[in-house]
């Protein structure tokens, strides 16, 4: 079942601005992952944050995790036209090893030049 | 590293025929692969978990006789859509987990199936 909810569902900003997307989930997790999907393509893994971590950075990406609120946010700084894509959060739970992912509904991000 | 391929990238078939989709991990071994389907403008829905050398585990509501999964080697899983119907038209995506690292799922580029 889908447990992730993302907001906004769609976001349109100007190039150079920062984009923030939020994800909420319902059950306990081992980790939360963010993926990007360009139209009609596969998913690209962006970042994984474990349940005992609060913040993680990767280049222009910043992810936060608040397990007390069961929420996460993805911040893309200094956006570029190439960042236009759909962004999904996915939660993993259960025993270690290969874990099933439950995906949120996604945020469609449009960067206007 | 961590590249997953899918073949074919798109397929059109007639109603009633069967279609096989391959998912390969190109530079790592994957004891576990996952199969998802995605409808337009929607999220990914997990269909089944494919484990090398054993039977696949299907999610609730997914017909195992309709969607046959075979994971015969550490680098290949196949999904066969049997007796396809127009409602099976969708985007099918696989992912693979590195047997050594075991955490991140690497996704294939997807296969777009259109059943006429």
């Amino acid at each position: 079942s889908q447990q992730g909810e993302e907001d906004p569902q769609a976001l349109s900003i100007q190039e150079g601005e920062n984009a923030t997307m939020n994800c909420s989930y319902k059950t306990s997790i081992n980790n939360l992952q963010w993926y990007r999907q360009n139209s009609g393509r596969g998913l690209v893994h962006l970042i994984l944050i474990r349940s005992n971590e609060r913040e993680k950075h990767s280049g222009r990406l910043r992810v936060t995790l608040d397990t007390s609120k069961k929420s996460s946010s993805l911040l893309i700084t200094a956006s570029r036209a190439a960042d236009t894509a759909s962004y999904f959060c996915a939660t993993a739970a259960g025993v270690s090893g290969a874990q099933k992912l439950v995906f949120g509904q996604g945020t469609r991000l449009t960067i206007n030049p | 590293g961590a590249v997953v391929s899918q073949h074919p990238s798109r397929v059109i078939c007639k109603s009633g025929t069967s279609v096989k989709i391959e998912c390969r991990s190109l530079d790592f071994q994957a004891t576990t692969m996952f199969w998802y389907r995605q409808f337009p403008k929607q999220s990914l829905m997990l269909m089944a978990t494919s484990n090398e050398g054993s039977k696949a585990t299907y999610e609730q509501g997914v017909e195992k006789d309709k969607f046959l999964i075979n994971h015969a080697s550490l680098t290949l899983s196949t999904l066969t859509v049997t007796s396809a119907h127009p409602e099976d038209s969708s985007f099918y995506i696989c992912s693979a987990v590195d047997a050594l690292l075991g955490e991140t799922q690497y996704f294939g580029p997807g296969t777009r199936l259109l059943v006429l």
Side-chain angles (χ1 to χ4, degrees), chain A:
Chain A
S1 63
Q2 292 289 320
Q3 73 158 338
E5 294 183 6
E6 295 181 60
D7 78 274
Q9 290 188 345
L11 178 62
S12 181
I13 60 174
Q14 293 300 120
E15 196 168 19
E17 294 179 340
N18 296 341
T20 300
M21 290 159 271
N22 302 296
C23 168
S24 61
Y25 56 93
K26 296 177 183 174
T27 61
S28 296
I29 62 171
N30 287 338
N31 64 65
L32 186 145
Q33 304 178 39
W34 285 91
Y35 289 85
R36 183 185 75 228
Q37 183 181 35
N38 290 86
S39 181
R41 310 287 282 275
L43 273 70
V44 174
H45 183 261
L46 296 177
I47 200 163
L48 180 152
I49 186 165
R50 293 187 175 82
S51 60
N52 61 353
E53 297 176 309
R54 292 296 168 258
E55 187 171 312
K56 213 162 182 180
H57 297 255
S58 177
R60 294 183 296 112
L61 306 180
R62 173 176 168 256
V63 168
T64 62
L65 179 64
D66 187 335
T67 52
S68 66
K69 294 181 180 178
K70 291 187 168 58
S71 67
S72 174
S73 68
L74 170 67
L75 168 68
I76 304 174
T77 60
S79 63
R80 305 167 182 170
D83 295 329
T84 294
S86 289
Y87 291 81
F88 295 93
C89 69
T91 55
V95 297
S96 60
Q99 300 170 10
K100 295 195 294 187
L101 292 179
V102 178
F103 280 83
Q105 294 305 307
T107 294
R108 287 191 300 281
L109 175 65
T110 303
I111 308 298
N112 302 302

Side-chain angles (χ1 to χ4, degrees), chain A residues 2 37 50 97 99-100 104, chain B residues 38 43-44 59 102-103 105:
Chain A
Q2 292 289 320
Q37 183 181 35
R50 293 187 175 82
Q99 300 170 10
K100 295 195 294 187
Chain B
Q38 184 181 31
S43 188
L44 280 74
E59 295 300 299
E103 216 168 22
Q105 288 187 30

